Amino acid sequence: METIRILIVDDHEVVRIGLRSLLERIGQFEVVGEAASAQEAIELARSRKPDVVVMDIRMPDGSGIEACRAIRSENEAIKVIMLTSYTDDEAIFASVMAGASGYVLKQIGSHELVEAIRTVAAGGSLLDPSITGKVLERMRGMSREQQQHEKLTDQELRILRLIADGRTNKEIAEALYLSEKTVRNYVSSILSKLNLSNRAEAAAYAVRRHLLDEPDPFL
């Protein structure tokens, strides 16, 4: 079988030693480097060109998720497995969005980890069974949110941005040359379409969707 080159990334030396000892017993694997920080991981991935990076999420100088994104943006051929003790929903989702091919827990058995590395090296992807459902549910939630977002008209999007900016109905009316009653009707329509209860939720939605990062050219 073709040799799989592996970079181990973890800020705990004992964990790196344990992983190296395990993986080097597999004739198919070659550990080409160890990194103890996110920046070191990026630099070693650039110079050693591993096939697979086995990376912890939490680092002293950043996160494995940021390192994963940087590594994958420079070289998409490198696959990344996030190996962590945490099942935090946000970290799982962020890892997948950063380009990780797998997210497995450190409680995984040695045989399962070996198979996980072989799977992603061959171009596959995987998630620990205990967290797959969480990611799928989050993806479904995003899909529903996107569908709701697409229902908004251009004018409603402008008003939503202004709500997120902290403007009152009166201030929005003045900015868009509308009556306050018309603005109130727009706000009600926005809340209804997005299935939200109040202006605070609407503002949080706008921030989450990064609507304020793209100023409306008509305002």
Side-chain angles (χ1 to χ4, degrees):
M1 290 183 288
E2 192 171 324
T3 299
I4 297 174
R5 295 163 52 81
I6 301 170
L7 172 63
I8 298 171
V9 184
D10 197 293
D11 60 331
H12 293 98
E13 184 182 16
V14 172
V15 174
R16 298 198 306 273
I17 291 172
L19 285 173
R20 177 183 279 274
S21 176
L22 165 66
L23 298 177
E24 286 186 336
R25 293 204 303 265
I26 310 298
Q28 185 187 8
F29 295 163
E30 177 188 359
V31 177
V32 297
E34 296 179 20
S37 68
Q39 187 56 42
E40 188 179 5
I42 295 169
E43 293 170 358
L44 283 178
R46 185 181 298 135
S47 61
R48 306 288 174 84
K49 295 181 172 55
D51 299 306
V52 178
V53 179
V54 179
M55 179 147 52
D56 192 10
I57 281 187
R58 303 196 177 183
M59 299 285 175
D61 65 334
S63 77
I65 295 169
E66 295 165 356
C68 174
R69 183 178 293 107
I71 289 168
R72 294 277 297 160
S73 66
E74 289 189 13
N75 189 341
E76 289 187 352
I78 297 176
K79 311 301 181 184
V80 179
I81 292 178
M82 308 306 295
L83 182 63
T84 179
S85 301
Y86 305 96
T87 58
D88 178 77
D89 291 1
E90 290 298 324
I92 296 168
F93 188 74
S95 296
V96 174
M97 297 305 291
S101 297
Y103 188 110
V104 296
L105 304 180
K106 285 184 176 178
Q107 296 90 326
I108 191 174
S110 57
H111 175 73
E112 286 80 8
L113 178 58
V114 167
E115 289 306 310
I117 292 172
R118 286 175 174 156
T119 296
V120 300
S125 61
L126 59 93
L127 287 173
D128 187 286
S130 67
I131 56 183
T132 302
K134 295 179 182 179
V135 172
L136 292 177
E137 181 56 35
R138 179 68 180 271
M139 293 294 288
R140 284 194 289 267
M142 279 195 66
S143 177
R144 289 193 295 268
E145 190 172 89
Q146 178 62 32
Q147 290 172 2
Q148 293 168 335
H149 178 80
E150 290 172 352
K151 294 178 182 178
L152 298 182
T153 65
D154 289 343
Q155 185 75 307
E156 287 169 340
L157 282 172
R158 294 186 186 103
I159 291 173
L160 180 56
R161 288 190 183 95
L162 291 171
I163 290 173
D165 196 40
R167 306 284 189 93
T168 64
N169 283 351
K170 181 179 180 181
E171 290 170 335
I172 293 173
E174 292 173 351
L176 298 181
Y177 304 102
L178 301 172
S179 69
E180 282 190 61
K181 180 179 179 181
T182 299
V183 171
R184 284 196 298 272
N185 290 338
Y186 271 121
V187 171
S188 295
S189 176
I190 291 167
L191 296 178
S192 176
K193 287 183 178 181
L194 298 181
N195 195 29
L196 301 174
S197 301
N198 52 54
R199 295 170 73 94
E201 289 184 4
Y205 172 94
V207 171
R208 189 167 65 249
R209 297 289 301 181
H210 304 290
L211 295 184
L212 294 181
D213 295 343
E214 301 177 1
D216 191 320
F218 297 103
L219 294 179

